Structures are given as C-alpha cells and as structure tokens.
Amino acid sequence: MPIVVSARPVSHPLKAPFRISRGVKTTADVVEVTASADGVVGRGESVPYGRYGETVESVLAQLAPALASADVEAARDALPAGAARNALDLALWDLNARRTGVSVASATVLPIPPALVTAVTVSLDTPEAMAQAARAVADAPLIKIKLSAEDPAARLRAVAAAAPDSRFIVDPNEGWTFAILKDLKPLLADLPIALVEQPLPADADQALEGWDPPFTICADESVHVGGDLAALRGRYQAVNLKLDKTGGLTEAVSMLRAAKGLGFQLMTGCMVASSLGVAPALHLAGASDFADLDGPWWLAIDHPGGLRVARGRITPPRPGFWGDAAPAEGLWL
C-alpha cells in the first residue's frame, strides 16, 4: 500500500515569552506531518526558522510535492536540509517503526537513556529579570544563558550569582563581535562555562581560526549537515546537532558519527517545539556530551504522554509516543 502524507500547521502557546538576540516569540509555530500506510500512522514535527528564510507557509509549500508523490521516500530525499525534510523524515521513521516493529532505537543503535540532563534556558531580559528566572531553575545542573551585545557581562554575573551550583552554556545567537568575545574572556574563564555557543555571525567566524580560549566554543548556525564539519576545525571545538538544521534523523545520525570521528564534542539541541519535535532528538542526545532539549518545557500545554523536563532533567515520553511499535492512542492533542 502506498504511503499517504499530510501536513498541517500547529501553533503552541508558550507559558512565557522566549527572547533571544534576534527577537521574541510567544508561540511555537510548527509543521506537523503524518505518514500513513496499512492503517498505521507515523508523525513528525519541525519548526520553520526565519534565520534560514523559512516560514510555516514556505515549509508547507516545500512539502506539497511529497503530499502528491507516489514515492514519498524519493520526495523526501529531493528536499534540501531544513524544516520541511525534517518533519517528513521523522514521520517516515515513526511509520517504519510502527509497521515493522523495529524501534528507531534498534534501527539506529542509539537508545534513549532513562534519564538525561538538559540545559534549561534563561531567555534574554534585564539582568534583574534573568537573575529571577535563574533562581527559579537554580537546581538545574546546566543553564543556557541567552545574551546579546548589550551589556552581556552584567547579565552573566546576575545569572551566575542566582544559580551558584550550575554550569552554563552562553548563547549570543550570533550577536557578538570578536572584540566583545575577547573582552569577555576573563569573565568567561572565571565562570563554570560548559560551552560558548555561536558567539559570532556564521559569516564572520573566520575570526575564530586558531584562537585558543580557555572555554569550548560550539558551532550552531555555522553547521547544518555533515558536509559542513571539516571547515569548522580550528574554529570550533564542539557542534550543535539540530534536526531542523540537518533535515531529519537520517542525516543527523550520519553527522553525529562524522563529528565524533573528527574529534568534536557534541551537543544535541532543539528549537522551541512540542515533544513530538524533540523526542526523536533523544536518540542523538544519548550519544552526545551535552543536551539542550528544553523546548517542550516552554509550552503552556504539550502533547499528553510527551517528555517531561524537571530540575534540569528529561524523562522520556511514554511508550508509543514516537519511534516504536507501542499503541499511540491518547497521546496527541
């Protein structure tokens, strides 16, 4: 029986505004894809990202040929890396697991760990507001601090004082210059920094070539697929794997292994999304050095049975949620 594909936009309200250096969002606007065959349904979700020229409408338009295709796998492979291919790829992985009884964990040899530390994000705000947000999650082992070029030192000090037992991922989202990064070097060296993530714009990261700071710099916007990795050596020591950048789990699994072979540390990250979009990333996170998968934690209401983030740790979704053959009844909004 041929695979039938459908796609729809879904908007998930957030419990609080999510601010980064590029703007603020109050909803997670996603594209949900279902792939059906033999009475079985697989699901996938992606987040169109304006940084890469994507919108919900553009992703739905990209998916239109797949909706009408007699060969859905070929239609997926024809898509470029990005949100459209991700949603379709994840739906096909889920469908295959349910049709064959072979879980994604078994097929990839990447099991989901029973417990996983994830970064919990303190979004960009005034130093006082960021300190208040940090105090609320100060029992998390790992906190991500969103920053901009506006007085980052004051915000760093405020969060560090409010969460004295945590380590930090510092994420300016391409918002710094190399001069700012160098000026902050003594402060960053003095704090318990796990990673400094994409401090410079992707088209300006040549300034990092040969620089040897006392902290690990992680590529995010500078890396999308496995073919990008070799050029990052000498600039970054870690890379952030995100399904919406790689275009799905298929490329992400290959990229994970290639990155390890090149000696990079790995972080598995996500966009602000529901558990449907983040659950597949747990397979990558189990083989990574760091996880930043608190996306569903920002939602006012997530899917029933989805993953749970509490005290900076992830509890995996209920059996049947994504990627295995267990029944999925009652798990979807």
Side-chain angles (χ1 to χ4, degrees), residues 290-317:
F290 304 97
D292 176 24
L293 298 175
D294 68 337
W297 181 72
W298 285 89
L299 269 59
I301 300 174
D302 193 13
H303 295 288
L307 61 85
R308 180 171 173 266
V309 178
R311 300 173 65 89
R313 293 168 174 83
I314 296 176
T315 301

Side-chain angles (χ1 to χ4, degrees), residues 87-102:
L88 181 55
D89 186 66
L90 296 182
L92 292 175
W93 274 97
D94 190 33
L95 176 65
N96 187 66
R98 297 183 192 281
R99 292 176 81 185
T100 65
V102 178

Side-chain angles (χ1 to χ4, degrees), residues 253-279:
V253 170
S254 173
M255 184 175 170
L256 180 146
R257 291 169 179 152
K260 283 181 174 288
L262 289 170
F264 287 105
Q265 293 184 55
L266 287 166
M267 178 167 70
T268 297
C270 69
M271 307 298 189
V272 180
S274 82
S275 285
L276 177 58
V278 176

Side-chain angles (χ1 to χ4, degrees), residues 96-115:
N96 187 66
R98 297 183 192 281
R99 292 176 81 185
T100 65
V102 178
S103 69
V104 172
S106 295
T108 60
V109 199
L110 292 171
I112 293 176

Side-chain angles (χ1 to χ4, degrees), residues 212-262:
D212 187 24
F215 41 79
T216 298
I217 303 181
C218 178
D220 183 4
E221 286 86 352
S222 287
V223 61
H224 293 249
V225 295
D228 299 331
L229 291 167
L232 302 181
R233 300 177 78 181
R235 301 182 184 185
Y236 298 95
Q237 299 79 49
V239 295
N240 188 351
L241 290 172
K242 286 181 180 175
L243 294 170
D244 281 306
K245 292 189 302 179
T246 65
L249 191 63
T250 302
E251 171 65 19
V253 170
S254 173
M255 184 175 170
L256 180 146
R257 291 169 179 152
K260 283 181 174 288
L262 289 170

